[in-house]
Amino acid sequence: MALLKIFVGTMYGGSLDVAEQVQPLFEQAGYTVEVLDQPTLADLTDARPDLALFVTSTTGSGDVPGNLTGFLNALSAESPALDWLRYGLIALGDSSYGETYCGAGRHLDERLADLGATRHGERLEIDAMETFMADDAALSWVESWIPTLPATA
């Protein structure tokens, strides 16, 4: 089975909840799924997944949550070639923060692309000002995203 790793950046657990809610959809589609709530760069580069999904909230003024900071710092410091990586990204944010809305997800997306990774489909941005239950929006997005992925077998 193809391996999907879900990399989570969360401050209060909302992104982890989203990851855990979408996990069964991927398992039903034939993926082996690992949810990583304390991800390291080695989780990505040492045991390469067939597909990665990044689910991150944004803190402060567009900052990455603390549990994802080490991962992002290692990406910047080591700059590994990620031309083999296909990924999706779900960014949680609050549009009342203006220009920093979903800043962590946007920054991560940009960094992954700079290293050669290929995002499959559009990035999902979930606005806390409009969506009370982020997992509902994520479930709908994942349900439409999975059929666009290459076959797992």
Side-chain angles (χ1 to χ4, degrees):
M1 275 202 264
L3 175 61
L4 165 72
K5 290 186 179 181
I6 303 177
F7 295 80
V8 178
T10 192
M11 194 72 179
Y12 301 109
S15 295
L16 181 58
D17 182 54
V18 166
E20 291 172 343
Q21 292 297 316
V22 301
Q23 179 178 357
L25 296 176
F26 287 103
E27 291 170 341
Q28 292 166 7
Y31 287 89
T32 298
V33 180
E34 291 180 26
V35 175
L36 305 159
D37 62 352
Q38 293 294 325
T40 66
L41 184 56
D43 291 324
L44 182 64
T45 58
D46 290 355
R48 292 180 176 184
D50 298 291
L51 179 67
L53 178 63
F54 294 88
V55 182
T56 187
S57 60
T58 298
T59 65
S61 297
D63 300 322
V64 174
N67 73 309
L68 197 59
T69 301
F71 175 86
L72 196 56
N73 288 344
L75 270 181
S76 294
E78 297 181 30
S79 296
L82 298 178
D83 55 333
W84 54 270
L85 179 63
R86 289 182 307 118
Y87 72 95
L89 198 139
I90 299 174
L92 285 72
D94 184 327
S95 62
S96 69
Y97 283 83
E99 290 182 16
T100 62
Y101 168 64
C102 287
R106 292 175 180 181
H107 177 69
L108 177 59
D109 199 10
E110 183 178 297
R111 187 67 189 128
L112 292 167
D114 288 346
L115 295 170
T118 302
R119 187 184 68 229
H120 186 86
E122 295 298 316
R123 176 180 60 234
L124 173 63
E125 295 184 351
I126 301 173
D127 185 357
M129 294 294 290
E130 296 177 2
T131 307
F132 179 68
M133 298 295 291
D135 52 344
D136 289 342
L139 285 165
S140 177
W141 181 83
V142 167
E143 286 173 342
S144 64
W145 191 62
I146 288 174
T148 70
L149 297 171
T152 60

